[in-house]
Amino acid sequence: PGLEDRALEVMADFIRPEDSMYFDAIFGANYGQQAIRGWLLPTMAEISFIEFVPQQGSAIFRTESGTAMIDEWQMVAKQDGAEIPLAPGISVRRFEDGWMTWVADIYDTVSSRTPPPEEMTLPEGMPEPGPLPDYPVMNWPTVDLGDPASLSAAATAWAAKRIAAHESGTAEAIHRHPSGLTADELHALHNHPDFSWNFDLIADMLHPDQSVYIDPVFGRFEGQQAIREWLLDVMPKIGNVVFEPFADILWNGSTSVQLWKQVAQPEGSDPVEMTWGASVRRFEDGWLTYCADYFDAFALQRPEVIAAARSLDVVSVPGTFTATEMLAAHRAG
């Protein structure tokens, strides 16, 4: 904060001269310090009336090649005392050998790309938004995460007990009994391919009262019961859609970050990239307490995505439209 208006200049100095990237959900990728500086400084100057309000504490991760960090924020447009909330988002940054080498700002661009209603008057002094570039191409290759972390005997036993309770119908509506597992054990369970799609089990990890799940499309859910109901309602309906990782999972003992692209796989045709994003999970005192998914819902309005969703009947409303089409229509007014 003490750097004030010079902060972005200093940040640009941190970026590695070559073999570095800054990706923005609206403007796409710039490569190398010179190109990043040439985009970053004037662009941010044009939107100086927008503030990025922190939503969580920064999280730091040690990686094989260096360090990574995340910041979660809410964009707020401020002018003449007026505050207009825009999209929440996340910045993921990687550092290596004393340089910042990789940055991605991930957020929903619908609020930025959708024209305001004709009757809306902007606060005095706030500039009229100009045209934005087309949806950027994100062609990062997926990575092989390798074998999943092995599960401890305690984690395996806890999962088996909870699954049996749900199958027998004896599970409580709200699971209030601490698992007794460490954050490492819960994280390994959460990401294990044998259990990651068991949403009753995932919900059992959530703190009964002090848990939060934030989704760009569906909103914010609080408490284990509300999150469970949403997970069990929506997630089984996504059809033949996979989440392909394009980076290793970041984990620091309490917080994890996964970077992924959502890909539809219609039968008999090529896969269709729907959108890409990041998922943050925070664990505390043997519970999963915080989940936030960040992605650009505007990408779901592209014709090829709507066509793929229709062919897969993704979260369909019988006889009418897929959820993707309904979202596109809602966003378009």
Side-chain angles (χ1 to χ4, degrees):
L3 291 171
E4 297 181 344
D5 295 341
R6 309 305 297 272
L8 288 176
E9 295 179 17
V10 174
M11 184 170 129
D13 288 342
F14 290 162
I15 294 171
R16 189 160 58 188
E18 297 177 350
D19 193 24
S20 55
M21 186 206 70
Y22 196 124
F23 191 96
D24 179 87
I26 288 178
F27 296 95
N30 283 278
Y31 298 92
Q33 185 190 103
Q34 184 175 358
I36 294 171
R37 185 193 304 276
W39 162 77
L40 181 65
L41 299 186
T43 300
M44 296 303 291
E46 289 178 3
I47 59 169
S48 59
F49 57 90
I50 291 181
E51 294 187 10
F52 297 84
V53 181
Q55 300 297 294
Q56 298 283 332
S58 299
I60 308 294
F61 307 87
R62 306 301 177 190
T63 69
E64 291 185 1
S65 59
T67 305
M69 69 180 293
I70 64 165
D71 288 290
E72 296 173 83
W73 37 262
Q74 170 78 47
M75 280 194 288
V76 178
K78 294 187 176 183
Q79 194 79 24
D80 297 332
E83 294 191 3
I84 303 174
L86 302 175
I90 183 173
S91 294
V92 183
R93 299 182 177 92
R94 294 179 180 272
F95 304 84
E96 185 177 349
D97 298 330
W99 294 104
M100 186 185 299
T101 58
W102 193 94
V103 184
D105 292 337
I106 303 169
Y107 54 97
D108 185 1
T109 69
V110 167
S111 60
S112 300
R113 293 185 180 275
T114 303
E118 293 182 2
E119 65 274 13
M120 178 179 175
T121 302
L122 295 175
E124 185 177 352
M126 183 176 291
E128 196 75 31
L132 296 176
D134 293 336
Y135 177 76
V137 174
M138 194 288 284
N139 56 359
W140 303 332
T142 57
V143 301
D144 183 0
L145 297 180
D147 295 331
S150 55
L151 301 178
S152 68
T156 303
W158 182 82
K161 180 179 179 180
R162 296 307 309 157
I163 290 172
H166 286 289
E167 290 178 344
S168 65
T170 59
E172 317 91 315
I174 301 178
H175 181 59
R176 295 187 175 275
H177 307 289
S179 64
L181 303 177
T182 66
D184 284 326
E185 290 173 318
L186 283 176
H187 177 256
L189 264 178
H190 187 280
N191 291 284
H192 197 281
D194 291 344
F195 302 106
S196 60
W197 288 93
N198 187 322
F199 296 110
D200 260 323
L201 184 66
I202 298 300
D204 285 347
M205 300 180 188
L206 293 161
H207 192 282
D209 309 303
Q210 300 169 18
S211 54
V212 173
Y213 200 117
I214 302 171
D215 180 90
V217 173
F218 293 93
R220 179 186 179 99
F221 302 89
E222 298 184 2
Q224 183 191 116
Q225 185 171 11
I227 299 171
R228 184 194 304 275
E229 291 174 358
W230 174 71
L231 286 173
L232 293 178
D233 177 45
V234 171
M235 292 304 178
K237 301 174 183 176
I238 67 171
N240 193 17
V241 174
V242 297
F243 293 82
E244 299 181 352
F246 61 83
D248 292 335
I249 297 174
L250 299 174
W251 172 244
N252 66 4
S254 63
T255 301
S256 73
V257 180
Q258 299 186 28
L259 300 173
W260 44 262
K261 53 184 177 180
Q262 188 180 19
V263 180
Q265 298 182 320
E267 187 175 351
S269 59
D270 294 333
V272 176
E273 181 182 310
M274 301 179 71
T275 188
W276 60 279
S279 294
V280 181
R281 302 290 184 262
R282 296 176 186 260
F283 299 81
E284 185 177 355
D285 296 330
W287 295 102
L288 174 59
T289 57
Y290 176 87
C291 307
D293 296 333
Y294 297 94
F295 60 87
D296 189 0
F298 182 85
L300 303 179
Q301 301 182 27
R302 291 175 294 151
E304 63 270 28
V305 174
I306 292 176
R310 176 171 282 282
S311 70
L312 295 174
D313 199 29
V314 176
V315 198
S316 64
V317 178
T320 53
F321 304 98
T322 68
T324 303
E325 291 171 309
M326 294 177 68
L327 173 64
H330 173 70
R331 298 299 195 191

